[in-house]
Amino acid sequence: MKAAPPLPPAVIVWSGKGGVGKSTIAAQTARGLAAIGVRTGYLDADLHGPSAATLFGIEERLAVRGRRIVPAVRDEVEIASTSLIADPDHAYVWRGPLMRGVLSQLLQDTDWTRADVLVVDMPPGTGEIQMQILSELTCLGAVVVTTPQDLSLADVRRSARMLLDADVPVTAVVENMASVACPSCAFSFPPLPGDAGQHVHAIFPEAAFVRLPMSPLTGHSDPLAQALRPLVEKIADRLQQRPLSPC
């Protein structure tokens, strides 16, 4: 039986905390890389709470051709997600070996041969999925996402320790929802209390620090895409500079 081709290097979008906008940032990062000519894959590793179908506006299911999963394509990004294998309201109750097997299939059986880099949207926490991703992929870098509040900081610090222990290079720390602009006067102010982003950045001082506005838009020209442009360019530069680190 012919061996599967090697997986592309990964950018893992990581938090440890749910509800910080990690999936939106992962999707926008993938779109940004594709927009500057980097052939990009997107793995939705949040098996129980997948969001790729909504974020990319995909209605069709994943196809299989010659025992290989054919990723969906939107905005020049190749996408694999459990949200593309069942109805939108389907509840996934996998655990243990079954859960690990599903993730392994999405990783190893998807045809990523056209991708130069794989953006991985990680689930919250520091459990089995995180351990499996770190063991099966080669990391280009991690993007650590937080929001300003102390509650987010507590969880993100714990997940940051996992990255440190695994020697995963952190490309950027992103503080999401750091500001919001008044639609009438364009005055910008912080909608949430705290400065968690600065505290997380102190753990990874060599990483870029990106503060993102709260925005209802998700298109290429919105403030989120513009704010993420330096991060996207840094990832593209890192891809050219390799060598890579094992996750």
Side-chain angles (χ1 to χ4, degrees), residues 19-21 25 144-149 152 173-182 187-198 209-216 223-224 227-228:
V20 297
I25 290 167
V144 180
V145 182
T146 184
T147 50
Q149 315 100 299
S152 178
V173 172
V174 177
E175 185 179 69
N176 196 23
M177 308 180 201
S179 64
V180 65
C182 171
F187 174 75
S188 181
F189 60 93
L192 301 170
D195 55 358
Q198 294 182 35
F209 182 38
V210 181
R211 301 180 79 245
L212 296 182
M214 184 179 290
S215 172
L224 178 58
L228 282 173

Side-chain angles (χ1 to χ4, degrees), residues 29-49:
T29 299
R31 286 190 180 103
L33 286 165
I36 62 173
V38 178
R39 297 185 303 176
T40 305
Y42 180 94
L43 174 68
D44 185 352
D46 193 346
L47 304 184
H48 296 102

Side-chain angles (χ1 to χ4, degrees), residues 4-12 41-47 62 67-71 78-82 99-113 115 117-123 128-139 247:
L7 293 168
V11 173
I12 55 174
Y42 180 94
L43 174 68
D44 185 352
D46 193 346
L47 304 184
L62 291 174
R67 296 190 174 183
R68 300 286 285 164
I69 298 171
V70 180
E78 297 185 335
I79 303 151
S81 169
T82 54
M99 180 179 65
R100 294 192 296 271
V102 171
L103 179 59
S104 186
Q105 278 192 298
L106 286 178
L107 270 174
Q108 305 292 343
D109 294 348
T110 299
D111 185 4
W112 301 115
T113 53
V117 66
L118 188 62
V119 176
V120 183
D121 177 22
M122 300 291 290
E128 288 185 83
I129 295 296
Q130 286 79 6
M131 292 173 63
Q132 186 171 348
I133 289 291
L134 294 181
S135 67
E136 293 195 32
L137 288 175
T138 300
C139 276
C247 280

Side-chain angles (χ1 to χ4, degrees), residues 8 13 16 32 39 64 77 85 94-95 103 114 141 145 158 169 186 211 227:
V13 183
R39 297 185 303 176
V64 176
V77 178
I85 64 175
W94 301 316
R95 63 179 182 178
L103 179 59
R114 290 173 297 277
V145 182
R158 280 190 289 270
R211 301 180 79 245

